[in-house]
Amino acid sequence: MLIVLSIAGLLLAIAFPRAAAWLDRIAVSSAANELIMFYHRARFASMLRGTRVRVEFGERELSATYEAIVDSTFLVRPGPERRGVELRASRRIVRLQPNGLGWGAANTKLVVWRREAAESLTISREGRLKRWR
């Protein structure tokens, strides 16, 4: 019984770091996917409604707001923090014009990471979002 427990402990000691790195990559990839989906929903909403939209990237919360005489928040989602992933943004607020083009979004960089796993997202002046792995 002692030999079996020793072998099981040795195998766990070898496998645990690999499993932890794998879980980190999954969490980072999921958080990046959520950011991409959120951004595209906000961008298409600005084009559909023909209204300027303010997108705010926070660690705890992502929000999109129609900008008009009276602002109207229409999309709120939990941020990457709920997955234990950190977010670093060169600009926390990006505005999208009614035609979907970014306004003040040129080269906005969003980086999501957890321990050794990281992904970058870049928003161009045209409002396009590119993913870097």
Side-chain angles (χ1 to χ4, degrees):
M1 180 92 150
L2 186 60
I3 293 172
V4 171
L5 288 174
S6 299
I7 292 172
L10 182 63
L11 290 174
L12 277 173
I14 292 170
F16 184 73
R18 290 182 184 174
W22 183 64
L23 292 173
D24 290 344
R25 283 193 303 272
I26 289 172
V28 166
S29 181
S30 296
N33 285 337
E34 288 174 359
L35 283 171
I36 291 168
M37 296 292 282
F38 178 82
Y39 177 77
H40 284 303
R41 279 188 76 181
R43 184 173 183 220
F44 291 132
S46 73
M47 291 186 283
L48 184 65
R49 190 164 175 187
T51 306
R52 196 167 67 187
V53 171
R54 180 179 65 239
V55 180
E56 297 180 35
F57 299 102
E59 286 194 5
R60 292 184 182 190
E61 183 178 88
L62 308 171
S63 67
T65 305
Y66 290 122
E67 289 187 328
I69 295 171
V70 177
D71 290 351
S72 172
T73 301
F74 67 94
L75 189 60
V76 177
R77 297 284 183 263
E81 183 181 73
R82 76 181 172 110
R83 295 186 177 277
V85 175
E86 295 184 44
L87 171 68
R88 188 171 294 159
S90 61
R91 287 185 187 93
R92 292 281 179 178
I93 297 174
V94 172
R95 287 181 171 80
L96 299 168
Q97 295 179 3
N99 58 5
L101 295 176
W103 188 48
N107 299 323
T108 297
K109 188 172 185 179
L110 306 169
V111 179
V112 288
W113 83 93
R114 185 164 116 179
R115 294 186 199 107
E116 296 173 15
E119 287 193 29
S120 310
L121 307 170
T122 305
I123 301 171
S124 70
R125 174 178 48 246
E126 292 85 23
R128 292 191 213 120
L129 188 112
K130 180 159 176 130
R131 184 178 199 162
W132 305 90
R133 293 180 186 216

